[in-house]
Amino acid sequence: MALSRDTVVETATRILREYGLGDLTMRRLARELGVQPGALYWHVASKQDLLVAVTEALMDTLPVHDDAVGLGDWLASTLLPVPDAADVVRVALAWRPEVVSALAAFEELAGAAGVGAGVAARQAWARGALDLVLGAVADHQEGARAAAARETEPPAVEHALERVREAMERWARA
Amino acid sequence: MALSRDTVVETATRILREYGLGDLTMRRLARELGVQPGALYWHVASKQDLLVAVTEALMDTLPVHDDAVGLGDWLASTLLPVPDAADVVRVALAWRPEVVSALAAFEELAGAAGVGAGVAARQAWARGALDLVLGAVADHQEGARAAAARETEPPAVEHALERVREAMERWARA
DNA sequence: ACCTGAACACCGTTCAAGT
DNA sequence: ACCTGAACACCGTTCAAGT
């Protein structure tokens, strides 16, 4: 059966989940799909395009939230099990921020968080909320990597989630 | 005259300032220094080691600040003119966070910002402050890149600085 | 001690040619 | 329409050998 964009993106997402960004190469992806590397470029424009699509896939189950704490918690829970998730989302953020649906979701919560001085202020607040979540996720995953290297106890996911919760509370105070 | 670690790091920092991370390759750096790529590995252990050293160089003029707004403003002003500075600092943060002197500086201001519940809370607050600054810097530089591609007006540095100021005020409220 | 020369094991991307 | 084969132009890193 023929390749499709969806298959390419799904397989890429699976490689990311299992092995991280270092193993998500076009060549490795092609091998996994049983095609030549060049074949991928019929379905995606570039590796960047692929990473944007992967980000979309990671966020496509985003439910509606009515406060920043809930949204931050969902986002962190979603990204924490995915190695290098923060880096991938940052690529999408740099290239096509509109696909990062969590950003738009934060933007809609800006009013409830006591931000009211125009669109620019709400966008800045939303981006700040996202930066706090991505930073906490990256920090936790770096800690996990370091612990694995030293063969010590890895940090608990609950600590990362608790930190995100506190950050969202602080950031969203009226 | 012979190469030295300092020369290597200084030249790397200059390439970063002038051309960005995409042009900061070991081969390009070697060419600029008039040596073979392999020669660099006598002075730095790896490219990661080099980027950590570049981060150190970017931060080595950090003055003492007595509030988060002042520190955030200094950090943003220092990083904004350096293309991809946020990415470079994030590499250092992942690998050797202790060289990111701004992080320790934020940590010392945690008390004044109304954070008092133990070391972990102060560290989390400091990392959050850094994430907000790095995120704003990255966002501004992405905007500049996008504007250059479309040949439109680039975003004003003052807006980025103003946004950092507001973020620090919000983050440091008691 | 410090560097060269040359290799190893990779990358992302393009594109004529096939089916 | 979709993929292969093969190349192009790169990477970071290692290491025997030279000086």
PDB file of all heavy atoms in Angstrom, chain A residues 151-171:
ATOM      1  N   GLU A 151      23.164   7.115  36.241  1.00  0.00           N
ATOM      2  CA  GLU A 151      22.499   5.944  36.808  1.00  0.00           C
ATOM      3  C   GLU A 151      21.985   6.198  38.224  1.00  0.00           C
ATOM      4  O   GLU A 151      22.121   5.352  39.113  1.00  0.00           O
ATOM      5  CB  GLU A 151      23.436   4.727  36.774  1.00  0.00           C
ATOM      6  CG  GLU A 151      23.710   4.288  35.335  1.00  0.00           C
ATOM      7  CD  GLU A 151      24.562   3.017  35.269  1.00  0.00           C
ATOM      8  OE1 GLU A 151      25.005   2.572  36.333  1.00  0.00           O
ATOM      9  OE2 GLU A 151      24.761   2.497  34.159  1.00  0.00           O
ATOM     10  N   THR A 152      21.409   7.368  38.411  1.00  0.00           N
ATOM     11  CA  THR A 152      20.786   7.702  39.687  1.00  0.00           C
ATOM     12  C   THR A 152      19.275   7.761  39.513  1.00  0.00           C
ATOM     13  O   THR A 152      18.756   7.572  38.415  1.00  0.00           O
ATOM     14  CB  THR A 152      21.299   9.062  40.215  1.00  0.00           C
ATOM     15  OG1 THR A 152      20.992  10.067  39.242  1.00  0.00           O
ATOM     16  CG2 THR A 152      22.791   9.024  40.457  1.00  0.00           C
ATOM     17  N   GLU A 153      18.607   8.064  40.574  1.00  0.00           N
ATOM     18  CA  GLU A 153      17.144   8.142  40.569  1.00  0.00           C
ATOM     19  C   GLU A 153      16.662   9.268  39.649  1.00  0.00           C
ATOM     20  O   GLU A 153      17.097  10.404  39.799  1.00  0.00           O
ATOM     21  CB  GLU A 153      16.686   8.395  42.019  1.00  0.00           C
ATOM     22  CG  GLU A 153      15.314   7.868  42.366  1.00  0.00           C
ATOM     23  CD  GLU A 153      15.165   6.354  42.160  1.00  0.00           C
ATOM     24  OE1 GLU A 153      16.194   5.645  41.971  1.00  0.00           O
ATOM     25  OE2 GLU A 153      14.022   5.893  42.185  1.00  0.00           O
ATOM     26  N   PRO A 154      15.776   8.986  38.710  1.00  0.00           N
ATOM     27  CA  PRO A 154      15.243  10.062  37.855  1.00  0.00           C
ATOM     28  C   PRO A 154      14.244  10.920  38.627  1.00  0.00           C
ATOM     29  O   PRO A 154      13.642  10.452  39.593  1.00  0.00           O
ATOM     30  CB  PRO A 154      14.542   9.297  36.733  1.00  0.00           C
ATOM     31  CG  PRO A 154      14.180   7.988  37.328  1.00  0.00           C
ATOM     32  CD  PRO A 154      15.210   7.671  38.363  1.00  0.00           C
ATOM     33  N   PRO A 155      14.088  12.197  38.213  1.00  0.00           N
ATOM     34  CA  PRO A 155      13.134  13.087  38.887  1.00  0.00           C
ATOM     35  C   PRO A 155      11.700  12.599  38.676  1.00  0.00           C
ATOM     36  O   PRO A 155      11.389  12.007  37.654  1.00  0.00           O
ATOM     37  CB  PRO A 155      13.368  14.438  38.200  1.00  0.00           C
ATOM     38  CG  PRO A 155      13.976  14.114  36.880  1.00  0.00           C
ATOM     39  CD  PRO A 155      14.758  12.861  37.093  1.00  0.00           C
ATOM     40  N   ALA A 156      10.844  12.863  39.651  1.00  0.00           N
ATOM     41  CA  ALA A 156       9.452  12.421  39.559  1.00  0.00           C
ATOM     42  C   ALA A 156       8.634  13.349  38.667  1.00  0.00           C
ATOM     43  O   ALA A 156       8.780  14.570  38.739  1.00  0.00           O
ATOM     44  CB  ALA A 156       8.837  12.366  40.947  1.00  0.00           C
ATOM     45  N   VAL A 157       7.792  12.757  37.838  1.00  0.00           N
ATOM     46  CA  VAL A 157       6.925  13.538  36.960  1.00  0.00           C
ATOM     47  C   VAL A 157       6.014  14.452  37.787  1.00  0.00           C
ATOM     48  O   VAL A 157       5.724  15.582  37.387  1.00  0.00           O
ATOM     49  CB  VAL A 157       6.078  12.600  36.067  1.00  0.00           C
ATOM     50  CG1 VAL A 157       5.129  13.401  35.190  1.00  0.00           C
ATOM     51  CG2 VAL A 157       6.970  11.731  35.211  1.00  0.00           C
ATOM     52  N   GLU A 158       5.595  13.963  38.950  1.00  0.00           N
ATOM     53  CA  GLU A 158       4.697  14.766  39.791  1.00  0.00           C
ATOM     54  C   GLU A 158       5.337  16.107  40.169  1.00  0.00           C
ATOM     55  O   GLU A 158       4.655  17.127  40.264  1.00  0.00           O
ATOM     56  CB  GLU A 158       4.329  14.024  41.083  1.00  0.00           C
ATOM     57  CG  GLU A 158       3.506  12.774  40.848  1.00  0.00           C
ATOM     58  CD  GLU A 158       4.353  11.618  40.334  1.00  0.00           C
ATOM     59  OE1 GLU A 158       5.493  11.451  40.823  1.00  0.00           O
ATOM     60  OE2 GLU A 158       3.900  10.908  39.415  1.00  0.00           O
ATOM     61  N   HIS A 159       6.638  16.081  40.401  1.00  0.00           N
ATOM     62  CA  HIS A 159       7.309  17.342  40.750  1.00  0.00           C
ATOM     63  C   HIS A 159       7.222  18.348  39.615  1.00  0.00           C
ATOM     64  O   HIS A 159       6.986  19.537  39.834  1.00  0.00           O
ATOM     65  CB  HIS A 159       8.772  17.077  41.118  1.00  0.00           C
ATOM     66  CG  HIS A 159       8.938  16.400  42.432  1.00  0.00           C
ATOM     67  ND1 HIS A 159      10.032  15.626  42.756  1.00  0.00           N
ATOM     68  CD2 HIS A 159       8.128  16.367  43.527  1.00  0.00           C
ATOM     69  CE1 HIS A 159       9.891  15.152  43.978  1.00  0.00           C
ATOM     70  NE2 HIS A 159       8.741  15.575  44.463  1.00  0.00           N
ATOM     71  N   ALA A 160       7.431  17.849  38.394  1.00  0.00           N
ATOM     72  CA  ALA A 160       7.339  18.734  37.227  1.00  0.00           C
ATOM     73  C   ALA A 160       5.925  19.295  37.097  1.00  0.00           C
ATOM     74  O   ALA A 160       5.738  20.493  36.836  1.00  0.00           O
ATOM     75  CB  ALA A 160       7.735  17.978  35.966  1.00  0.00           C
ATOM     76  N   LEU A 161       4.934  18.440  37.296  1.00  0.00           N
ATOM     77  CA  LEU A 161       3.548  18.888  37.183  1.00  0.00           C
ATOM     78  C   LEU A 161       3.194  19.897  38.273  1.00  0.00           C
ATOM     79  O   LEU A 161       2.511  20.897  38.016  1.00  0.00           O
ATOM     80  CB  LEU A 161       2.600  17.680  37.249  1.00  0.00           C
ATOM     81  CG  LEU A 161       2.649  16.762  36.028  1.00  0.00           C
ATOM     82  CD1 LEU A 161       1.795  15.533  36.243  1.00  0.00           C
ATOM     83  CD2 LEU A 161       2.200  17.505  34.770  1.00  0.00           C
ATOM     84  N   GLU A 162       3.701  19.634  39.467  1.00  0.00           N
ATOM     85  CA  GLU A 162       3.459  20.547  40.575  1.00  0.00           C
ATOM     86  C   GLU A 162       4.094  21.909  40.291  1.00  0.00           C
ATOM     87  O   GLU A 162       3.520  22.959  40.582  1.00  0.00           O
ATOM     88  CB  GLU A 162       4.041  19.936  41.864  1.00  0.00           C
ATOM     89  CG  GLU A 162       3.969  20.804  43.101  1.00  0.00           C
ATOM     90  CD  GLU A 162       2.543  21.185  43.484  1.00  0.00           C
ATOM     91  OE1 GLU A 162       1.598  20.549  42.949  1.00  0.00           O
ATOM     92  OE2 GLU A 162       2.366  22.128  44.285  1.00  0.00           O
ATOM     93  N   ARG A 163       5.264  21.870  39.709  1.00  0.00           N
ATOM     94  CA  ARG A 163       5.937  23.119  39.361  1.00  0.00           C
ATOM     95  C   ARG A 163       5.174  23.894  38.298  1.00  0.00           C
ATOM     96  O   ARG A 163       5.052  25.125  38.391  1.00  0.00           O
ATOM     97  CB  ARG A 163       7.342  22.799  38.863  1.00  0.00           C
ATOM     98  CG  ARG A 163       8.082  24.026  38.409  1.00  0.00           C
ATOM     99  CD  ARG A 163       9.536  23.708  38.190  1.00  0.00           C
ATOM    100  NE  ARG A 163      10.045  24.433  37.061  1.00  0.00           N
ATOM    101  CZ  ARG A 163      11.196  24.139  36.467  1.00  0.00           C
ATOM    102  NH1 ARG A 163      11.907  23.112  36.887  1.00  0.00           N
ATOM    103  NH2 ARG A 163      11.610  24.857  35.447  1.00  0.00           N
ATOM    104  N   VAL A 164       4.648  23.192  37.319  1.00  0.00           N
ATOM    105  CA  VAL A 164       3.855  23.854  36.281  1.00  0.00           C
ATOM    106  C   VAL A 164       2.610  24.489  36.901  1.00  0.00           C
ATOM    107  O   VAL A 164       2.252  25.623  36.583  1.00  0.00           O
ATOM    108  CB  VAL A 164       3.467  22.863  35.160  1.00  0.00           C
ATOM    109  CG1 VAL A 164       2.419  23.465  34.237  1.00  0.00           C
ATOM    110  CG2 VAL A 164       4.703  22.462  34.358  1.00  0.00           C
ATOM    111  N   ARG A 165       1.989  23.741  37.795  1.00  0.00           N
ATOM    112  CA  ARG A 165       0.796  24.268  38.480  1.00  0.00           C
ATOM    113  C   ARG A 165       1.110  25.574  39.212  1.00  0.00           C
ATOM    114  O   ARG A 165       0.402  26.571  39.070  1.00  0.00           O
ATOM    115  CB  ARG A 165       0.289  23.197  39.444  1.00  0.00           C
ATOM    116  CG  ARG A 165      -0.392  23.693  40.711  1.00  0.00           C
ATOM    117  CD  ARG A 165      -0.984  22.540  41.512  1.00  0.00           C
ATOM    118  NE  ARG A 165      -2.178  22.052  40.877  1.00  0.00           N
ATOM    119  CZ  ARG A 165      -3.385  22.617  41.014  1.00  0.00           C
ATOM    120  NH1 ARG A 165      -3.536  23.691  41.777  1.00  0.00           N
ATOM    121  NH2 ARG A 165      -4.423  22.127  40.398  1.00  0.00           N
ATOM    122  N   GLU A 166       2.210  25.579  39.960  1.00  0.00           N
ATOM    123  CA  GLU A 166       2.576  26.795  40.703  1.00  0.00           C
ATOM    124  C   GLU A 166       2.925  27.941  39.762  1.00  0.00           C
ATOM    125  O   GLU A 166       2.584  29.097  40.024  1.00  0.00           O
ATOM    126  CB  GLU A 166       3.751  26.501  41.645  1.00  0.00           C
ATOM    127  CG  GLU A 166       3.298  25.848  42.944  1.00  0.00           C
ATOM    128  CD  GLU A 166       4.448  25.223  43.725  1.00  0.00           C
ATOM    129  OE1 GLU A 166       5.612  25.488  43.374  1.00  0.00           O
ATOM    130  OE2 GLU A 166       4.179  24.459  44.676  1.00  0.00           O
ATOM    131  N   ALA A 167       3.609  27.609  38.668  1.00  0.00           N
ATOM    132  CA  ALA A 167       3.969  28.644  37.696  1.00  0.00           C
ATOM    133  C   ALA A 167       2.716  29.267  37.084  1.00  0.00           C
ATOM    134  O   ALA A 167       2.604  30.489  36.959  1.00  0.00           O
ATOM    135  CB  ALA A 167       4.857  28.055  36.600  1.00  0.00           C
ATOM    136  N   MET A 168       1.757  28.413  36.729  1.00  0.00           N
ATOM    137  CA  MET A 168       0.520  28.923  36.132  1.00  0.00           C
ATOM    138  C   MET A 168      -0.256  29.789  37.125  1.00  0.00           C
ATOM    139  O   MET A 168      -0.825  30.814  36.762  1.00  0.00           O
ATOM    140  CB  MET A 168      -0.340  27.756  35.634  1.00  0.00           C
ATOM    141  CG  MET A 168       0.211  27.028  34.423  1.00  0.00           C
ATOM    142  SD  MET A 168       0.477  28.056  32.958  1.00  0.00           S
ATOM    143  CE  MET A 168       2.240  28.376  33.070  1.00  0.00           C
ATOM    144  N   GLU A 169      -0.262  29.374  38.377  1.00  0.00           N
ATOM    145  CA  GLU A 169      -0.961  30.165  39.381  1.00  0.00           C
ATOM    146  C   GLU A 169      -0.330  31.546  39.532  1.00  0.00           C
ATOM    147  O   GLU A 169      -1.015  32.557  39.571  1.00  0.00           O
ATOM    148  CB  GLU A 169      -0.947  29.439  40.738  1.00  0.00           C
ATOM    149  CG  GLU A 169      -2.067  28.415  40.851  1.00  0.00           C
ATOM    150  CD  GLU A 169      -1.883  27.484  42.054  1.00  0.00           C
ATOM    151  OE1 GLU A 169      -0.890  27.639  42.800  1.00  0.00           O
ATOM    152  OE2 GLU A 169      -2.735  26.583  42.223  1.00  0.00           O
ATOM    153  N   ARG A 170       0.989  31.544  39.570  1.00  0.00           N
ATOM    154  CA  ARG A 170       1.707  32.815  39.711  1.00  0.00           C
ATOM    155  C   ARG A 170       1.500  33.704  38.490  1.00  0.00           C
ATOM    156  O   ARG A 170       1.260  34.908  38.606  1.00  0.00           O
ATOM    157  CB  ARG A 170       3.196  32.529  39.924  1.00  0.00           C
ATOM    158  CG  ARG A 170       4.086  33.757  39.966  1.00  0.00           C
ATOM    159  CD  ARG A 170       5.506  33.396  40.377  1.00  0.00           C
ATOM    160  NE  ARG A 170       5.650  33.272  41.807  1.00  0.00           N
ATOM    161  CZ  ARG A 170       6.027  34.293  42.603  1.00  0.00           C
ATOM    162  NH1 ARG A 170       6.276  35.480  42.091  1.00  0.00           N
ATOM    163  NH2 ARG A 170       6.148  34.108  43.890  1.00  0.00           N
ATOM    164  N   TRP A 171       1.598  33.083  37.319  1.00  0.00           N
ATOM    165  CA  TRP A 171       1.507  33.838  36.067  1.00  0.00           C
ATOM    166  C   TRP A 171       0.084  34.370  35.823  1.00  0.00           C
ATOM    167  O   TRP A 171      -0.099  35.391  35.171  1.00  0.00           O
ATOM    168  CB  TRP A 171       1.938  32.927  34.911  1.00  0.00           C
ATOM    169  CG  TRP A 171       2.134  33.614  33.595  1.00  0.00           C
ATOM    170  CD1 TRP A 171       1.465  33.374  32.443  1.00  0.00           C
ATOM    171  CD2 TRP A 171       3.083  34.649  33.277  1.00  0.00           C
ATOM    172  NE1 TRP A 171       1.925  34.178  31.433  1.00  0.00           N
ATOM    173  CE2 TRP A 171       2.926  34.977  31.918  1.00  0.00           C
ATOM    174  CE3 TRP A 171       4.063  35.335  34.018  1.00  0.00           C
ATOM    175  CZ2 TRP A 171       3.687  35.947  31.275  1.00  0.00           C
ATOM    176  CZ3 TRP A 171       4.826  36.311  33.381  1.00  0.00           C
ATOM    177  CH2 TRP A 171       4.624  36.596  32.037  1.00  0.00           C
TER     178      TRP A 171
END
